[in-house]
Amino acid sequence: MSRNIVILGGGYGGLRISQRLLSSELPHNIQLTMIDRQPYHCLKTEYYALAAGTESDTALRVPFPEDSRLNLKYGEITDINLDKKQVLLNDHEVIEYDFVIIGLGCEDKYHGVPGAPEHTYSIQNMEGTRETYKALNNVKANGTISIVGGGLSGVELASELRESRSDLNITIYDRGESILGPFPEKLREYVREWFEEHEVKLCHHANITKVEPNTLYNHDKPIESDVIVWTAGIQANRLVRELPVEKDHMGRVVLTEHHYIKAFPEVFVVGDCASLPHAPSAQLAEGQGDQIALVLQAFLNEQPLPELPQIKLKGVLGSLGKKHGFGLMGNASLIGRVPRVLKSGVLWMYKHHLG
């Protein structure tokens, strides 16, 4: 009897799992099905560059694997029924599974700010990033751009946009005492100085209370903006938040040590939807994907589940335009050209390996 492993989402985690399974000795009766909205893997870590207009749309696409054992389906997933082991698509097609990996990624978290979902732009998915690119690059000369959120996404978008459009008035609104709050002071100071030199304004202790069309309210004070981009937090995909299972405060699914739901051992969750002891990242999703592939192979071959080590992350790299950057490798802080070159190299290796 044929058995179907369904992967929901072709992001970093879902793609890694498919690669690992296809390169292994799968039982002959196993069929893989991957479902995604797009007919290609998208490099989400580079969406900021697409939005700013410094990278093309095609530069952020990687083809999915071609293999007779992999069935690719494209569409919007509208429901996941854990009890019936079914996935429903927007065309009412029902996909049944024996095992399912949920890797649907994250969405913006608006923290209940009125008007924020309707009147701000996003870089959380490919479709939204294209709209953001269009809006940002259609702003007339000397226009005003407001970026809400001073984390990695907001910093990379602001710096890339500065290189793309030297005429724009760009401000980052961050609720903390400093942008890049979790990073060491050395890195934060370097980025602050870069923004000061390149005339990007930083507004600390911001409190965005409301958003209206082309107007941002900081501490209830209206600030007119040609475009407002939201990078102030994420949460698990809506479908995952609605699953009747245990979740953490971010709506991410609580898992066993082998990355499946305790009450549903055939259901795995990978990436931004999984409750893990690290901040969500592409690197974390791939590390988790490697382990899920090992666990699945054990299930399929009726072998004992392997002991899984703690996922080790190599570090974080961020860009300040195309020539400067910052990074954290263990306890070592990197600033200047070296981390930017490293980031470009990592991206090239990733695309080259997949290609």
Side-chain angles (χ1 to χ4, degrees), residues 234-304:
I234 59 173
Q235 60 186 342
N237 181 282
R238 176 186 62 81
L239 289 176
V240 174
R241 299 200 309 273
E242 293 176 353
L243 289 176
V245 298
E246 183 183 359
K247 293 179 282 289
D248 65 13
H249 69 284
M250 292 180 64
R252 303 178 304 182
V253 178
V254 175
L255 304 171
T256 68
E257 61 181 314
H258 289 96
H259 307 295
Y260 59 78
I261 300 174
K262 187 174 183 179
F264 300 93
E266 70 281 357
V267 181
F268 295 80
V269 184
V270 67
D272 298 345
C273 297
S275 182
L276 297 172
H278 301 285
S281 68
Q283 189 182 161
L284 179 61
E286 289 187 321
Q288 191 194 7
D290 286 336
Q291 295 191 350
I292 290 175
L294 290 175
V295 174
L296 273 170
Q297 289 165 14
F299 271 128
L300 296 174
N301 293 300
E302 299 181 354
Q303 297 173 345

Side-chain angles (χ1 to χ4, degrees), residues 92-340:
H92 304 295
E93 182 179 3
V94 176
I95 309 294
E96 297 188 345
Y97 63 81
D98 294 281
F99 293 94
V100 66
I101 298 100
I102 302 173
L104 295 176
C106 61
E107 302 172 353
D108 289 299
K109 187 171 184 177
Y110 296 101
H111 308 285
V113 176
E118 299 85 2
H119 305 305
T120 66
Y121 287 86
S122 171
I123 55 171
Q124 283 301 328
N125 57 55
M126 194 65 150
E127 302 97 312
T129 302
R130 289 179 178 130
E131 292 299 316
T132 304
Y133 159 76
K134 183 178 177 181
L136 288 172
N137 288 277
N138 280 338
V139 172
K140 294 181 180 179
N142 303 312
T144 297
I145 308 299
S146 295
I147 297 174
V148 182
L152 185 60
S153 295
V155 164
E156 290 191 310
L157 175 61
S159 59
E160 202 80 6
L161 188 59
R162 166 52 73 230
E163 290 202 350
S164 173
R165 292 284 304 270
S166 60
D167 62 294
L168 295 176
N169 300 296
I170 304 170
T171 301
I172 298 177
Y173 294 86
D174 188 70
R175 66 187 305 174
E177 295 182 1
S178 170
I179 55 173
L180 299 173
F183 285 80
E185 174 60 26
K186 178 181 178 180
L187 295 187
R188 286 184 276 146
E189 183 61 29
Y190 175 74
V191 175
R192 282 197 297 267
E193 290 176 356
W194 192 95
F195 279 138
E196 183 177 344
E197 180 183 346
H198 292 82
E199 298 182 334
V200 173
K201 295 179 181 178
L202 303 177
C203 178
H204 304 304
H205 301 291
N207 180 23
I208 307 306
T209 52
K210 183 172 61 173
V211 182
E212 293 178 347
N214 300 111
T215 305
L216 183 75
Y217 287 79
N218 182 27
H219 295 280
D220 295 322
K221 178 183 177 182
I223 300 162
E224 292 188 4
S225 306
D226 292 283
V227 174
I228 304 165
V229 185
W230 192 274
T231 66
I234 59 173
Q235 60 186 342
N237 181 282
R238 176 186 62 81
L239 289 176
V240 174
R241 299 200 309 273
E242 293 176 353
L243 289 176
V245 298
E246 183 183 359
K247 293 179 282 289
D248 65 13
H249 69 284
M250 292 180 64
R252 303 178 304 182
V253 178
V254 175
L255 304 171
T256 68
E257 61 181 314
H258 289 96
H259 307 295
Y260 59 78
I261 300 174
K262 187 174 183 179
F264 300 93
E266 70 281 357
V267 181
F268 295 80
V269 184
V270 67
D272 298 345
C273 297
S275 182
L276 297 172
H278 301 285
S281 68
Q283 189 182 161
L284 179 61
E286 289 187 321
Q288 191 194 7
D290 286 336
Q291 295 191 350
I292 290 175
L294 290 175
V295 174
L296 273 170
Q297 289 165 14
F299 271 128
L300 296 174
N301 293 300
E302 299 181 354
Q303 297 173 345
L305 297 185
E307 276 194 36
L308 300 176
Q310 184 177 357
I311 299 172
K312 293 183 179 180
L313 303 180
K314 297 177 181 178
V316 181
L317 293 169
S319 69
L320 291 172
K322 298 301 184 190
K323 295 181 179 179
H324 299 87
F326 54 94
L328 193 60
M329 297 292 178
N331 295 321
S333 297
L334 305 175
I335 57 175
R337 293 182 180 270
V338 170
R340 187 64 182 92

